[in-house]
Amino acid sequence: QVQLVESGGGSVQTGGSLRLSCAASGYAGYAFMRDYTYCMGWFRQAPGRQREGVAAINSDGTTRYEDPVKGRFTVSQDNAKNTLYLQMNSLKPEDTAMYFCAARVGSKWVTLEIAEFGYWGQGTQVTVSS
């Protein structure tokens, strides 16, 4: 069973920064980032809107970003800590949403197709005020 736990959300003003974390754990005796082949992604959902992809990274470190966050957000991972990060800079009010991390195991395909991800965290709220 893969478990994902996000943290790091909060409230900031326009132009501010936040770093989200997602701690990943796998089956007993396995270190997620050492022992699994995977793609992990960050997604967000604002009130009244559909969930959308933000950024993804695979077990090789290949990354992908959606256009609205390119140049402002950086996805990274610390394999020793089994933790995924999303550094968010130059935040805008339209970045306000619940942010979720998700994992797709068994493939290195870097995707942000929501239906491809079988494991999800509980979400962390990001609020950007103008």
Side-chain angles (χ1 to χ4, degrees):
Q1 183 73 11
V2 174
Q3 293 187 321
L4 305 171
V5 180
E6 303 100 331
S7 60
S11 297
V12 296
Q13 293 188 327
T14 298
S17 298
L18 283 173
R19 188 177 79 158
L20 306 183
S21 300
C22 174
S25 61
Y27 286 92
Y30 292 88
F32 184 84
M33 290 184 174
R34 181 193 69 197
D35 298 327
Y36 287 63
T37 297
Y38 59 85
C39 172
M40 294 189 75
W42 286 101
F43 298 81
R44 65 187 182 185
Q45 187 167 16
R49 300 190 64 177
Q50 290 187 331
R51 191 169 297 189
E52 62 180 12
V54 175
I57 188 168
N58 72 0
S59 41
D60 284 344
T62 301
T63 59
R64 171 180 172 174
Y65 298 89
E66 294 294 42
D67 287 345
V69 305
K70 283 181 180 176
R72 299 188 299 122
F73 290 11
T74 302
V75 61
S76 63
Q77 58 195 355
D78 185 328
N79 289 4
K81 295 181 178 179
N82 291 295
T83 300
L84 177 74
Y85 300 101
L86 184 68
Q87 178 67 45
M88 304 185 294
N89 298 328
S90 302
L91 282 161
K92 305 175 181 179
E94 51 264 45
D95 294 318
T96 295
M98 184 72 78
Y99 283 71
F100 300 87
C101 73
R104 180 179 188 273
V105 300
S107 170
K108 296 181 182 179
W109 177 34
V110 184
T111 178
L112 284 168
E113 293 289 335
I114 291 171
E116 294 290 338
F117 288 80
Y119 302 98
W120 291 82
Q122 82 288 350
T124 186
Q125 178 68 37
V126 172
T127 302
V128 185
S129 57
S130 57

